[in-house]
């Protein structure tokens, strides 16, 4: 047993799991709702928000610009205020904060400096910076096309039409759209380049804008948001379906059963794709009054899938693939090289470090089954690498997970939830 507090011994399942696992709110929905509430014309309450590093960073960023964000029991109350600098904003390693906050900061009066963790300075930001300049913002990034950057706001932004290559992240579009109702001319965003990944997240942005009273039109690689008021009295945040991946996957690995309650009947969350993906690997998947239930039957097959729209599920699916009975081919995910870490390289390195057979493709991963052994699994400050390691540890004794606390980015208390699942506790 390791004594290093920065290493977690992933527990091995001693039989089929049988658990009900309630999940906290969606990070993607929470941070979108925070932005829209900050730009609204009256106070709003966010019910069941996620409280994690990413969402606390967004709340702190909005507070720094003059928005009131306070806890109200299990909810957040947001009081819009005059956006103003000077302010310094820490985005950590949160893609939503680093892409959603600058367009909001461009509406402020005064100077706002935006920076984050060292890896944040390597993540794609150039297209957003150039788009903001084209829409009338003054942005000083030192010519890097990356963080850190400083916006010098004049209390508003002209807006208008802009062309952007968002093939690196759909968040580059979402960031512009969320703030666009407050632009003088609104915005018309046209994407030119390879396909935009994570289309469900763009659908989420559009749906939440419309829920807040904005007028939004969409077409192929085109989004228009008209100027106008934002009205958001209340948001109820759905459970984070992407964070269900490792728990539902545990049913497949152990031949057991896991239920995630409150699974929405209709949702824009990418994690809803887990129903079809796990079924194609051999799981029995049902949705009923109790939530979504996944049952495993022992051995399970590999997965061949284009994950372009659901790339965030890749680390857990890759871990499942390493334990499957047949080969897997996961494609459409070249953009994951620009995530919290280069996820493709990291997954290959760590799966192979445990004796696996994984290799990179130009746009994905190929994984073939091989007997695995224990060892140290590095996580690269990436929450989803911790989740992948936990899945492997269910079937492989001796998986030691580096820096498990990094999972607090989106799922604080993950290791307790994981242990509770294995003992049948909620």
């Amino acid at each position: 047993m390791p004594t290093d507090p920065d290493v977690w011994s992933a527990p091995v399942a001693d039989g089929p799991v049988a658990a009900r696992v309630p999940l906290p709110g969606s990070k993607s929905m929470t941070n979108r709702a925070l932005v829209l509430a900050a730009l609204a014309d009256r106070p709003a309450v966010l019910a069941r928000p996620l409280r994690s590093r990413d969402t606390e960073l967004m709340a702190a960023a909005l507070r720094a610009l003059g928005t009131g964000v306070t806890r109200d029991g299990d909810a957040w109350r947001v009081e819009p205020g005059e956006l103003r600098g000077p302010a310094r904003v820490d985005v950590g390693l949160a893609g939503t904060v680093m892409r959603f906050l600058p367009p909001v900061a461009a509406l402020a009066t005064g100077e706002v400096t935006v920076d984050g963790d060292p890896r944040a300075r390597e993540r794609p930001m150039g297209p957003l910076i150039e788009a903001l300049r084209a829409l009338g913002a003054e942005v000083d990034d030192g010519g890097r096309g990356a963080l850190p950057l400083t916006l010098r706001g004049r209390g508003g932004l002209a807006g208008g039409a802009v062309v952007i290559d968002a093939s690196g992240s759909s968040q580059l579009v979402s960031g512009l759209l969320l703030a666009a109702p407050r632009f003088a001319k609104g915005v018309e965003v046209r994407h030119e380049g390879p396909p935009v990944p994570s289309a469900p997240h763009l659908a989420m942005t559009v749906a939440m804008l419309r829920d807040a009273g904005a007028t939004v039109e969409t077409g192929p690689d085109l989004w228009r948001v008209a100027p106008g008021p934002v009205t958001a009295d209340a948001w109820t945040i759905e459970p984070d379906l992407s964070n269900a991946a490792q728990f539902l996957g545990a049913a497949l690995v152990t031949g057991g059963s896991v239920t995630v309650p409150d699974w929405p009947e209709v949702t824009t969350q990418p994690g809803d794709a887990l129903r079809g993906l796990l079924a194609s690997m051999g799981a029995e998947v049902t949705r009923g009054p109790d939530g979504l239930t996944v049952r495993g039957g022992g051995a399970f097959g590999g997965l061949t899938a284009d994950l372009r729209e659901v790339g965030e599920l890749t680390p857990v699916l890759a871990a499942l693939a390493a334990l499957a009975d047949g080969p897997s081919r996961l494609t459409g995910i070249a953009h994951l090289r620009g995530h919290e870490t280069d996820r493709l390289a990291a997954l290959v390195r760590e799966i192979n470090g445990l004796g696996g057979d994984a290799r990179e493709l130009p746009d994905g991963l190929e994984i073939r089954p091989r007997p695995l052994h224990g060892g140290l699994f590095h996580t690269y400050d990436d929450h989803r690498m911790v989740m992948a390691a936990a899945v492997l540890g269910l079937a492989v004794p001796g998986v030691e997970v580096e820096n498990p606390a990094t999972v607090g980015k989106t799922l604080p208390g993950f290791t307790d939830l994981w242990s509770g699942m294995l003992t049948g506790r909620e």
Side-chain angles (χ1 to χ4, degrees):
M1 180 76 69
T3 58
D4 186 346
D6 292 329
V7 175
W8 173 55
S9 297
V12 178
D14 59 8
V17 297
R20 181 178 181 273
V21 185
L23 292 176
S26 161
K27 180 248 324 191
S28 299
M29 295 187 75
T30 298
N31 274 354
R32 283 165 172 79
L34 282 170
V35 170
L36 289 169
L39 299 176
D41 55 9
R42 54 179 179 262
V45 173
L46 277 62
R48 299 177 61 181
L50 173 67
R51 290 200 175 112
S52 70
R53 187 187 187 212
D54 278 18
T55 61
E56 293 287 2
L57 284 167
M58 180 66 86
L62 294 172
R63 289 188 195 106
L65 295 177
T67 300
V69 183
T70 56
R71 294 192 176 191
D72 184 2
D74 290 332
W76 258 329
R77 182 174 177 82
V78 182
E79 299 267 359
E82 180 183 352
L83 299 172
R84 40 87 184 127
R88 295 189 65 84
V89 169
D90 176 15
V91 306
L93 195 50
T96 51
V97 186
M98 73 177 68
R99 277 73 175 255
F100 295 178
L101 197 280
V104 176
L107 295 166
T109 300
E111 192 169 281
V112 180
T113 298
V114 182
D115 200 2
D117 294 357
R119 171 64 179 172
R121 298 180 178 185
E122 301 173 17
R123 299 188 68 181
M125 280 289 288
L128 178 62
I129 292 168
E130 291 306 315
L132 286 171
R133 289 186 177 127
L135 296 171
E138 183 181 347
V139 188
D140 180 5
D141 66 334
R144 294 179 299 274
L147 298 180
L149 59 83
T150 298
L151 297 108
R152 298 183 178 91
R154 296 179 290 276
L157 199 64
V162 68
V163 177
I164 185 171
D165 178 355
S167 58
S169 172
S170 66
Q171 294 168 352
L172 300 168
V173 175
S174 286
L176 295 171
L177 301 184
L178 288 167
R182 292 282 300 272
F183 298 170
K185 300 176 185 176
V187 79
E188 177 183 287
V189 180
R190 184 180 298 277
H191 163 71
E192 290 186 358
V196 181
S198 303
H201 278 137
L202 282 170
M204 179 187 294
T205 297
V206 170
M208 293 182 71
L209 276 163
R210 288 174 174 158
D211 287 345
T215 299
V216 187
E217 299 176 7
T218 65
D221 290 331
L222 179 69
W223 301 266
R224 293 191 187 94
V225 180
V230 175
T231 301
D233 295 317
W235 299 94
T236 299
I237 306 301
E238 298 173 359
D240 194 316
L241 306 188
S242 293
N243 276 341
Q246 59 276 6
F247 298 103
L248 297 177
L252 202 61
V253 173
T254 68
S257 172
V258 173
T259 296
V260 174
D262 301 318
W263 196 281
E265 185 174 356
V266 178
T267 182
T268 55
Q269 289 194 62
D272 194 44
L274 285 166
R275 295 191 292 172
L277 291 165
L278 295 179
S280 71
M281 298 183 81
E284 177 189 337
V285 182
T286 57
R287 184 189 171 279
D290 293 336
L292 187 80
T293 298
V294 170
R295 294 179 177 85
F300 58 96
L303 176 66
T304 297
D306 183 335
L307 302 179
R308 182 183 309 279
E309 295 190 350
V310 293
E312 64 205 61
L313 304 179
T314 300
V316 167
L317 292 174
L320 290 172
L323 299 173
D325 277 357
S328 296
R329 189 177 179 90
L330 311 177
T331 56
I333 46 176
H335 60 285
L336 297 190
R337 294 186 171 99
H339 277 220
E340 283 83 344
T341 186
D342 178 341
R343 283 181 173 164
L344 301 187
L347 286 164
V348 167
R349 185 179 303 118
E350 299 311 312
I351 289 172
N352 290 351
L354 300 182
D357 181 4
R359 70 181 186 93
E360 284 192 57
L361 304 172
D363 70 336
L365 298 170
E366 186 173 72
I367 301 170
R368 297 182 180 278
R370 282 183 61 180
L372 302 181
H373 56 71
L376 181 63
F377 192 101
H378 300 90
T379 55
Y380 311 92
D381 295 323
D382 187 336
H383 55 139
R384 301 210 186 273
M385 292 294 288
V386 176
M387 298 169 185
V391 169
L392 291 168
L394 289 171
V396 182
V399 174
E400 308 293 347
V401 186
E402 175 195 59
N403 189 19
T406 196
V407 82
K409 183 177 191 296
T410 57
L411 190 55
F414 165 70
T415 54
D416 288 339
L417 275 173
W418 194 251
S419 298
M421 174 195 68
L422 291 174
T423 57
R425 294 183 286 108
E426 288 191 14

